[in-house]
Amino acid sequence: MTFLRALFLNTAALFALTSTGWAETISIPGPDGPLEGELITVDSADNIIIVIPGSGPIDRDGNMPAFQSKTNLYKQIAEALAAEGIAALRVDKRGFFGSEKAIADPNDVTIAAYAEDMVKWVGRARQEAPCVWLAGHSEGGLVALYAAQSAPEGLCGVILMAAAGRPIGELLIEQMERNPANGAILEDAKAIVADLEQGQSRQLSDIPPALHGLFNPSLQRYMMDLFSHDPLALAHNWSGPALVLQGDRDIQVQPHDADLLTEALPTATRVDLSGGTHILKQDVAGNPFATYTNPELPLHEDLVPTIVDFLNTQD
């Protein structure tokens, strides 16, 4: 075997030519080990978008194997943007997947810590294009707004995709209220959320069994931090370009949240995705969870064109 062939075989999994550009697995230093992401480079790109994942154990592609959720959302976004001449970087959160070794306990995190990682990723992304955009999906929108507060060099703006405009505890209760099956546990959930908002944890023995998974003590430290942040306070402090994207068939975040964010952001552009779900794909009639489990479904037809048009207006 020649040296060049051996080198190719050893690096093929990390670096590949796609139809849109070069895809490469990259890493930057994390707290205890590397943070990992996948970069699609585009020759002479003016812009690069960093896709920030939503809540929970969700990977850089937009999938949650632990919950049988597979969407390929972030992968599809990155590849579609690269096809339009926009470089893209999607990342694994500290403690999960390729970034598993960045911290010992993936639940020992805060929004500030996630934002610190994003600021570092902005620095790395600037090597690929002069203008970096933080595109946060769901909880990732909160992280994007928090990271933008420090105005890292090279950050040109934020893109908030199905992002909450209210504290997450309030949004969580609203989600539970919309499901009649939660009637028997709703008051308990409200009381637990109120405690966590005040920085008070609950023992497992003080939580109804039906709520053990949602409010497991191992998650409560993170939830106390998460519930303490007001997206609107962060939005008021960001004066740079901002794009707010919201589907009107989203069962997790409401159009009202996009209203609040748009009003709070001084220079926001708001675009609604007609029939769009929380996964930023077209709703499937009669199956509200189809976009959470079928990775073959395409992105909403207006999603990428809207982002491309928005970036073009910033030039």
Side-chain angles (χ1 to χ4, degrees):
M1 181 181 293
T2 67
F3 171 77
L4 288 177
R5 177 171 171 77
L7 179 63
F8 174 79
L9 291 175
N10 288 334
T11 61
L14 302 179
F15 196 72
L17 179 62
T18 72
S19 60
T20 55
W22 287 102
E24 178 186 6
T25 299
I26 63 173
S27 64
I28 59 174
D32 301 323
L35 296 163
E36 190 174 278
E38 184 160 332
L39 170 70
I40 302 180
T41 60
V42 176
D43 289 342
S44 303
D46 294 320
N47 298 288
I48 180 168
I49 286 185
I50 302 176
V51 182
I52 306 176
S55 61
I58 185 167
D59 67 19
R60 70 185 78 168
D61 289 344
N63 304 323
M64 298 178 70
F67 294 93
Q68 290 77 54
S69 175
K70 188 169 185 179
T71 71
N72 276 346
L73 171 61
Y74 307 148
K75 181 179 181 181
Q76 289 175 320
I77 290 175
E79 292 178 346
L81 288 171
E84 297 292 336
I86 300 166
L89 171 63
R90 59 190 197 276
V91 301
D92 286 329
K93 298 189 292 185
R94 58 166 65 186
F96 293 108
F97 306 104
S99 300
E100 180 181 8
K101 294 181 179 179
I103 53 172
D105 180 0
N107 295 320
D108 185 18
V109 289
T110 62
I111 294 298
Y114 281 146
E116 178 185 338
D117 294 342
M118 289 306 115
V119 170
K120 293 179 180 178
W121 277 120
V122 169
R124 173 61 181 85
R126 286 185 62 231
Q127 299 177 28
E128 309 301 327
C131 209
V132 183
W133 301 81
L134 291 175
H137 176 238
S138 194
E139 182 188 289
L142 179 63
V143 177
L145 286 171
Y146 199 110
Q149 304 299 297
S150 63
E153 187 175 358
L155 179 64
C156 287
V158 297
I159 299 172
L160 307 178
M161 306 182 295
R166 293 165 285 168
I168 301 299
E170 178 182 339
L171 198 65
L172 174 61
I173 294 301
E174 181 183 274
Q175 291 172 359
M176 296 186 69
E177 288 175 334
R178 290 199 297 271
N179 185 349
N182 291 327
I185 58 174
L186 188 57
E187 292 306 313
D188 287 309
K190 289 181 178 179
I192 296 170
V193 167
D195 282 350
L196 295 174
E197 289 175 334
Q198 296 299 314
Q200 300 175 2
S201 62
R202 285 277 193 109
Q203 298 294 322
L204 194 62
S205 58
D206 294 330
I207 300 173
L211 292 172
H212 281 185
L214 183 58
F215 297 110
N216 190 287
S218 65
L219 302 174
Q220 290 182 27
R221 180 171 44 179
Y222 175 62
M223 297 178 86
M224 284 188 284
D225 174 76
L226 176 63
F227 293 172
S228 71
H229 295 286
D230 180 0
L232 297 188
L234 297 173
H236 279 298
N237 289 332
W238 174 249
S239 59
L243 174 62
V244 179
L245 294 164
Q246 178 63 45
D248 61 13
R249 297 302 298 273
D250 191 329
I251 60 176
Q252 293 183 245
V253 175
Q254 299 299 297
H256 178 55
D257 290 278
D259 294 339
L260 294 170
L261 289 170
T262 303
E263 183 178 349
L265 288 159
T267 63
T269 297
R270 160 81 175 273
V271 176
D272 293 316
L273 304 176
S274 179
T277 69
H278 191 67
I279 307 301
L280 308 174
K281 300 184 178 185
Q282 188 71 37
D283 180 54
V284 176
N287 188 352
F289 297 104
T291 58
Y292 290 79
T293 57
N294 184 354
E296 301 304 318
L297 292 174
L299 298 171
H300 191 284
E301 63 180 3
D302 294 332
L303 176 62
V304 171
T306 295
I307 296 174
V308 173
D309 289 346
F310 174 73
L311 295 187
N312 286 340
T313 64
Q314 308 304 314
D315 293 341

